[in-house]
């Protein structure tokens, strides 16, 4: 069966709109479209105000430096993503509120408050530093969708390491390509991942990827 480009174009046009329930809208941070209008009117002023809600180690000197096709936002500013995701919530009433609520495929559940998540990320960051990972080093993360995945990402951000997240569905040869692209000092992975109706063995795929890769990492961390 051959489908014409006109048919494809018509199928791509989606006109349906699903309005949120009134009680959901009432509790939402953004309740109407006025935010879009405000941003369109003066987008630099809008984003400067939004950025003021973050914790900056050094405030920017210019909101935007635009030389097509290159854009630099918040020029001269410095911040730590991990600290902004976690630390600033330890003192504003969110300390004991849930930051991550997770349920695994078999039904196992885990909830981490902002304080608990901060504690786990801090421990993980110290482990990375003890293994020789420093600011600017690359870390490849090859994990299933579990809480330890964002913990690893935030730990890298905390110490200034660059993390490359590889999709867990990739086979060994695809993983090898991404290892060679990133040339990581360390890889964080898991023994397996549990998906609907099956267990994916990550460790054998990682072993294959390491065997095929030409740029070998110094170490690997495997979550059991």
């Amino acid at each position: 069966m051959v489908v014409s480009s006109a048919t494809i174009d018509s199928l791509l046009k989606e006109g349906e709109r699903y309005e949120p329930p009134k009680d959901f809208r009432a509790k939402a941070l953004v309740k109407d479209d006025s935010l879009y209008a405000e941003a369109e009117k003066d987008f630099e002023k809008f984003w400067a105000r939004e950025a003021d809600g973050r914790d900056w180690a050094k405030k920017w000197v210019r909101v935007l430096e635009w030389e097509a096709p290159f854009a630099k936002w918040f020029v001269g500013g410095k911040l730590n993503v991990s600290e902004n995701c976690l630390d600033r919530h330890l003192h504003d009433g969110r300390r004991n509120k849930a930051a991550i609520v997770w349920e695994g495929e078999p039904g196992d559940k885990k909830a981490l408050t902002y304080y608990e998540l901060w504690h786990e990320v801090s421990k993980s960051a110290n482990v990375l530093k003890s293994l020789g990972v420093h600011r600017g080093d690359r870390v490849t993360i090859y994990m299933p969708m579990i809480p330890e995945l964002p913990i690893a990402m935030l730990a890298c951000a905390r110490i200034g390491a660059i993390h490359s997240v590889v999709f867990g569905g990739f086979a060994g040869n695809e993983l090898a390509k991404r290892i060679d692209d990133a040339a990581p000092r360390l890889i964080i992975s898991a023994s397996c991942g549990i998906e609907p109706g099956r267990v994916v063995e990550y460790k054998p795929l990682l072993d294959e990827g390491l065997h095929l890769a030409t740029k070998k990492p110094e170490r690997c961390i495997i979550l059991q």
Side-chain angles (χ1 to χ4, degrees):
M1 178 181 176
V2 178
V3 180
S4 69
S5 59
T7 301
I8 293 174
D9 288 341
S10 66
L11 291 173
L12 288 174
K13 294 177 181 177
E14 179 57 69
E16 291 187 56
R17 184 181 177 94
Y18 301 93
E19 296 291 343
K22 290 183 178 180
D23 60 336
F24 181 87
R25 184 190 289 271
K27 298 175 184 176
L29 185 63
V30 178
K31 298 179 174 60
D32 53 44
D33 294 340
S34 61
L35 197 70
Y36 298 105
E38 183 185 352
E40 188 173 0
K41 182 179 180 181
D42 188 341
F43 68 90
E44 285 197 32
K45 180 180 178 181
F46 173 82
W47 286 113
R49 188 198 69 192
E50 292 298 306
D52 275 333
R54 310 285 85 80
D55 289 344
W56 293 81
K58 180 182 178 183
K59 192 166 182 177
W60 69 90
V61 294
R62 193 178 305 112
V63 175
L64 175 63
E65 188 177 281
W66 172 251
E67 294 182 14
F70 304 104
K72 294 181 180 179
W73 284 92
F74 306 111
V75 180
K78 290 184 179 181
L79 54 71
N80 185 287
V81 172
S82 182
E83 290 179 356
N84 273 275
C85 287
L86 301 172
D87 299 53
R88 69 193 186 96
H89 298 307
L90 302 182
H91 312 290
D92 66 356
R94 290 193 181 94
R95 177 186 179 94
N96 296 318
K97 291 184 178 295
I100 290 180
V101 179
W102 175 85
E103 182 173 346
E105 188 59 35
D108 48 328
K109 299 178 181 180
K110 182 182 291 187
L112 293 170
T113 65
Y114 279 98
Y115 173 77
E116 291 169 333
L117 184 57
W118 168 81
H119 186 66
E120 292 300 318
V121 168
S122 298
K123 287 198 302 181
S124 299
N126 284 329
V127 168
L128 293 178
K129 288 196 295 184
S130 72
L131 295 176
V133 178
H134 303 292
R135 180 178 178 179
D137 287 337
R138 277 85 65 201
V139 175
T140 292
I141 303 174
Y142 180 60
M143 301 182 79
M145 299 292 284
I146 52 179
E148 287 79 6
L149 171 59
I151 287 172
M153 295 166 65
L154 288 166
C156 288
R158 197 167 194 85
I159 63 174
I162 302 164
H163 65 265
S164 168
V165 178
V166 178
F167 174 53
F170 283 151
N173 61 324
E174 294 299 327
L175 174 60
K177 294 176 185 177
R178 285 152 181 81
I179 292 173
D180 285 338
D181 282 343
R185 170 161 282 187
L186 180 140
I187 294 179
I188 304 174
S189 189
S191 57
C192 68
I194 302 175
E195 296 182 358
R198 66 171 186 154
V199 174
V200 179
E201 299 291 346
Y202 274 67
K203 182 59 166 59
L205 295 172
L206 174 61
D207 289 342
E208 181 185 358
L210 290 171
H211 175 72
L212 295 172
T214 58
K215 298 176 182 178
K216 314 290 187 185
E218 294 176 6
R219 295 174 182 269
C220 292
I221 296 176
I222 306 296
L223 175 70
Q224 295 293 336

